Amino acid sequence: MSRLSAVRPAYWISGILLAIAVVAPLLVSTYAKDKPRLWGFPFFYWYQFLWVILSAILVSICYRLVSVEERKRRAAQGLGDPERPEAAGTAKEAGE
């Protein structure tokens, strides 16, 4: 079994979403124009600001996907919940 097949779908989805958030604003030819205007702002400006908001949303989705997957992985390995370090610490102390 290769390491590539061990990668979970949550990581693939997160990688694709992050790639979209990075690559889309780099495609200058898609937004290097003046019209349409929104509240008097040229397309260039409001399109860039829209991508700031969209990127924040995409990063938060990726964070949630990866944190849920990481929590599942840690639970499967018996490492405990990373958001409750005291629970992991007591489990570790009990094993000593």
Side-chain angles (χ1 to χ4, degrees), residues 5 10-15 19 24 28 30 32 44 47-48 51 61-62 64 68 70 72 80 96:
S5 64
Y11 296 116
W12 282 100
I13 293 168
S14 295
V28 178
T30 62
F44 175 82
Y47 181 80
Q48 288 294 307
W51 270 106
I61 290 169
C62 293
R64 290 174 198 250
V68 166
E70 188 67 16
K72 287 179 187 176
E96 293 181 295

Side-chain angles (χ1 to χ4, degrees), residues 82-95:
E83 294 184 11
R84 293 183 45 214
E86 69 277 352
T90 56
K92 187 177 181 181
E93 291 168 2

Side-chain angles (χ1 to χ4, degrees), residues 42-93:
F43 180 72
F44 175 82
Y45 292 111
W46 66 263
Y47 181 80
Q48 288 294 307
F49 186 68
L50 178 68
W51 270 106
V52 169
I53 295 168
L54 289 175
S55 294
I57 292 169
L58 291 174
V59 168
S60 67
I61 290 169
C62 293
Y63 174 77
R64 290 174 198 250
L65 283 172
V66 170
S67 63
V68 166
E69 191 64 35
E70 188 67 16
R71 195 173 299 125
K72 287 179 187 176
R73 186 189 64 82
R74 289 179 62 88
Q77 292 179 349
L79 298 174
D81 191 0
E83 294 184 11
R84 293 183 45 214
E86 69 277 352
T90 56
K92 187 177 181 181
E93 291 168 2

